[in-house]
Structures are given as structure tokens and as C-alpha cells.
Amino acid sequence: MTSPITLEDSASDQDVAPPLHPAAILTSDADALEAAHTLARAAEAGAIQRDRERRLPWELVERFTASGLGSIAVPRAFGGPQLSYVTIAEVFRIISAVDPALGQIPQNHFGLLGLLHAAASPAQQQRLFASVLAGWRIGNGGPERGSKHTLDIQARLIERDGRRLLSGEKFYSTGALFAHWVTAKALDEQGRPWLAFIQRGRPGLRIVNDWSGFGQRTTASGTVLLNEVQVDENNLVPLWPLTEKPSIQGAFSQLIQAAIDLGIAGGAVRDAIAFVREKSRPWIDAKVERAGDDPYVIADVGRLQIELHAAEALLHGAARVLDETAAAPIDADAAARASIAVAEAKALTTEIALAASEKLLELAGSRATLAEFGLDRHWRNARTHTLHDPVRWKYHAIGAWHLNGSRPNRHSWI
């Protein structure tokens, strides 16, 4: 296992070395769920302190990888377990219910595995999936600040003296600081988009932990700087063919986002119930001995549970749709149905994450705002993570599909 860096403002070539020991390979859904529960139990004790101090969860990320959770989406054709989308979503929900920042760190790793499956050549898949099975993590050089929109790419890939050189600046780079492969999208001299897989240690690559968001504080979702970084030809994946090829890559990415939000909601409801039971005082007009006997509190908890269970059902159903869709050739309608199923789940997980984290403070009372309890982290995390993509456009996509039969756009946010 690698040692954590001592200075968390940036990462150098030596900060993340290839694993010294192979990661486990989880061969069943039950094994993956047990590994997720084990990691969640380990993460629970220090979750509040990590959030308060912005302490990065290096040891827990290593445990995630060593357990085999990082490779559960690798296809069987390339030696992986290819566990179900239902299980993958549940793994993210379990971990995020305790520490959603820890849950978010590998989200791009999984999204990029899906992109590899959709766009890379068989030779690239064989080599890169093998590295993941061996315990390598994939991080993301995210969208670019100051661009017109999230798909606007300013990074450039040029050819000089027979070398392919990538330059640019990325942000929202969740997972990059912990990664062995750092990916970045760039346009070549013909304006075509590529995805570059860059080995940690390449000259010109620098990762800066300058993420200052008030929520999801320990995701290290900061800056990736690329200054004429040489990229091997066989580590370049062409992205422009994806515009003509239906896939569930975007739906898969969104499924993980929804699972993280559902985990946040579940953690907030859990902590609300515990605080009301153990610490809250009843309101004087309720004329009850315990806050848990207040009829309005009881009704509110009932509503939260209904909404939480509804979101769980939609997420589980959406994951089943992805499993069914992946089992057959994917055409445009099948890809659209998968995206809409996930969009419906994402809309509801967004709403319950925000509602539960807000209602937690209302039901628990003034004492719940004390820093020692760290309960504000639920709302901060929910508000931050649900801004990943606007839920209003989920409702639009859902309505356009059901009303007019309009397929949603193809990208990682639908």
C-alpha cells in the first residue's frame, strides 16, 4: 500500500505508486456488498473529523482498492467480475451513507471504465482493464473552468517530432489526486476529441488539491495542470465515434451520481432519527415527554421514509434497466430508455437528499447546529453533490420523452 502525501496542496510523481500487492477480485454480488459494508464501518468513526479538517481519506481509498471494489465493473471478457449495475449502485449507496466524499472519489473511475468499454479498442481495453484488476485507480481531469459550458474543451493535443503532447488545465478533477492513471479530454489539430490516459509520473503533469467547496470537502476535486505532457499513442482513445454509437455510458455515470445522493439522504434520515430519539427536547405545546412522541415529528419522519424508499425503488429499478439493456445490442431507443430510467431516479434522489438533510436540522432542533455533532455536513454534501448537473433538465428530459417521444442528448450528464 502506498503512503499518503504529507503536503496535501499538490501531488508529485511519487505520491501514488503502483500497488505493491494485487487487489482482490470480488466474484459475486454478495462479496461486493459485504466489502462495501466493511469499508463503510471503517469509514464511519472518522467521517465528521475528516470533513471538519478536510483530511483526505488516503487509507480508506487504499482499502477500497485492495478489497477489489475498484474492479467490479470490469467486463468478464477481460478477466473482471462484471457485477450487476444493481450491485454497483448499492455499493456506492452503502459507502456514501457514511461518507459521501469517500463515495464520490471513485465515481469517475467507474465512469471511465464505462467509457473504455464504449470507445476503446480491444487492445486498449485488455491492457487498461488489466491494470485496474491489478489495483490501479483511474482519475479524471474534469471540465475546464472559464469555458462556455461543461463540454467546451480548450485543452489541446498536438503532434511534434513524432510525439503526442497534451496541454491544458482541468478542474472538478475528482479522483485524480489518488489515481495511477489520470485522464484528460483534449482536441487534436483537426478539432477531434480524444481521451488520454496518462501514467502518474509523466513530466508536465501536476495535480493540485485546491478544492474549496463547502461540501464534499475531502474529494480533492481540484485542478489538473498539463504542460506538454507526452501521451503514448496506445493510451489515446478517440471519442468522436461515440456521437454515432448508442451506449449506456452516460446512464451508468448518472446511476452512480444518483446512488451517492441516495446515500447522503439515507445518512441524513438515519442521523435525524437517532438525534430525535437521544438528544432532542420536545416542543412545549406538544405536551409529550419525548421529542419522538411529537405527532408532527412522527409525521415528518414518516414522509421522509416514504420518499427515501421511493427513491431507493427508482434507483434499483433504473439499475435493473441498465442490466437488461446491457444484455442485448443497444440501439438508440434502448439507450434512451436507460437514460430516462436513471433520470427519474436522479430527480428523486436529488430531492430527497436535499429535503432529508434540511429536515434533519428542523426536527432535531437548535442543538443539532452545534459543530461537535457535524450534522450540517449532510446538507452541505447534498447541496454540493446535487449541483453536478441540474435536476431541472432531468424533469425536462423525462417529460420530453413521455410526452413527445424525444430522446435525450448523449453525454455523461443524462
Side-chain angles (χ1 to χ4, degrees):
M1 294 169 74
T2 57
S3 298
I5 57 176
T6 55
L7 294 176
E8 293 183 350
D9 61 335
S10 64
S12 66
D13 299 349
Q14 289 75 38
D15 293 330
V16 181
L20 297 176
H21 305 288
I25 296 179
L26 300 166
T27 58
S28 73
D29 297 301
D31 288 344
L33 296 178
E34 179 54 36
H37 282 296
T38 299
L39 182 65
R41 287 191 292 270
E44 188 169 14
I48 294 174
Q49 188 173 12
R50 285 193 301 276
D51 171 79
R52 182 182 298 135
E53 300 175 1
R54 291 187 180 268
R55 183 185 302 172
L56 301 185
W58 283 93
E59 180 183 356
L60 292 165
V61 171
E62 293 289 355
R63 291 181 66 164
F64 177 95
T65 304
S67 73
L69 286 171
S71 64
I72 59 176
V74 173
R76 293 188 193 93
F78 297 96
Q82 194 177 347
L83 299 185
S84 69
Y85 290 106
V86 169
T87 293
I88 293 170
E90 183 65 2
V91 163
F92 275 88
R93 185 201 66 78
I94 290 167
I95 296 169
S96 298
V98 172
D99 186 347
L102 178 62
Q104 187 181 345
I105 286 167
Q107 75 177 28
N108 287 321
H109 172 96
F110 277 75
L112 289 160
L113 290 178
L115 197 53
L116 267 180
H117 193 236
S121 70
Q124 290 173 324
Q125 291 173 340
Q126 184 67 57
R127 183 167 45 82
L128 294 168
F129 283 141
S131 73
V132 172
L133 289 167
W136 286 45
R137 292 184 291 272
I138 306 175
N140 181 48
E144 301 172 10
R145 287 193 288 191
S147 57
K148 293 181 180 179
H149 50 73
T150 193
L151 293 177
D152 184 25
I153 300 173
Q154 300 300 315
R156 292 296 183 264
L157 181 68
I158 65 169
E159 186 169 354
R160 182 193 303 150
D161 300 327
R163 299 185 302 158
R164 304 297 290 274
L165 304 175
L166 198 158
S167 296
E169 180 175 330
K170 304 290 186 174
F171 195 61
Y172 304 111
S173 302
T174 305
L177 194 68
F178 305 92
H180 307 94
W181 291 109
V182 177
T183 65
K185 294 177 182 178
L187 301 182
D188 67 11
E189 290 156 313
Q190 287 76 47
R192 299 174 302 179
W194 295 81
L195 179 68
F197 280 74
I198 304 165
Q199 300 106 315
R200 191 59 162 264
R202 281 293 167 103
L205 171 64
R206 184 175 175 229
I207 304 167
V208 183
N209 180 21
D210 55 351
W211 172 246
S212 61
F214 62 65
Q216 297 296 89
R217 289 175 168 179
T218 61
T219 59
S221 300
T223 301
V224 169
L225 301 169
L226 304 124
N227 181 19
E228 295 197 340
V229 177
Q230 183 174 347
V231 184
D232 296 338
E233 192 75 31
N234 60 1
N235 287 336
L236 287 168
V237 178
L239 295 180
W240 65 92
L242 286 181
T243 59
E244 303 299 326
K245 180 181 176 183
S247 77
I248 57 172
Q249 187 270 330
F252 179 34
S253 176
Q254 285 291 293
L255 184 77
I256 293 172
Q257 303 284 356
I260 294 169
D261 293 336
L262 184 60
I264 294 171
V269 172
R270 176 201 62 219
D271 284 359
I273 291 172
F275 203 95
V276 168
R277 281 177 176 170
E278 298 164 11
K279 295 182 175 66
S280 294
R281 296 184 299 177
W283 181 240
I284 51 176
D285 292 334
K287 296 181 172 58
V288 294
E289 294 297 318
R290 299 170 54 254
D293 292 327
D294 183 323
Y296 294 112
V297 172
I298 292 171
D300 278 342
V301 169
R303 276 190 288 270
L304 287 176
Q305 288 288 2
I306 291 169
E307 293 167 5
L308 183 64
H309 292 161
E312 289 170 351
L314 274 181
L315 184 71
H316 187 82
R320 285 202 313 271
V321 170
L322 263 63
D323 283 321
E324 294 163 2
T325 304
I330 301 174
D331 60 20
D333 283 336
R337 283 192 295 271
S339 289
I340 293 301
V342 175
E344 290 176 353
K346 183 68 165 59
L348 207 53
T349 58
T350 294
E351 301 293 352
I352 184 58
L354 293 170
S357 57
E358 166 70 20
K359 186 62 74 170
L360 159 61
L361 299 173
E362 178 188 333
L363 297 180
S366 300
R367 190 180 177 195
T369 65
L370 298 180
E372 64 199 77
F373 299 119
L375 295 177
D376 60 304
R377 75 188 191 281
H378 294 296
W379 184 86
R380 290 187 288 99
N381 291 335
R383 184 64 283 178
T384 300
H385 190 261
T386 56
L387 293 175
H388 182 274
D389 46 280
V391 73
R392 61 187 178 273
W393 280 95
K394 296 289 185 289
Y395 288 115
H396 177 272
I398 295 162
W401 169 259
H402 288 291
L403 183 62
N404 299 319
S406 302
R407 300 187 191 114
N409 294 324
R410 290 182 193 155
H411 51 64
S412 295
W413 294 271
I414 187 63

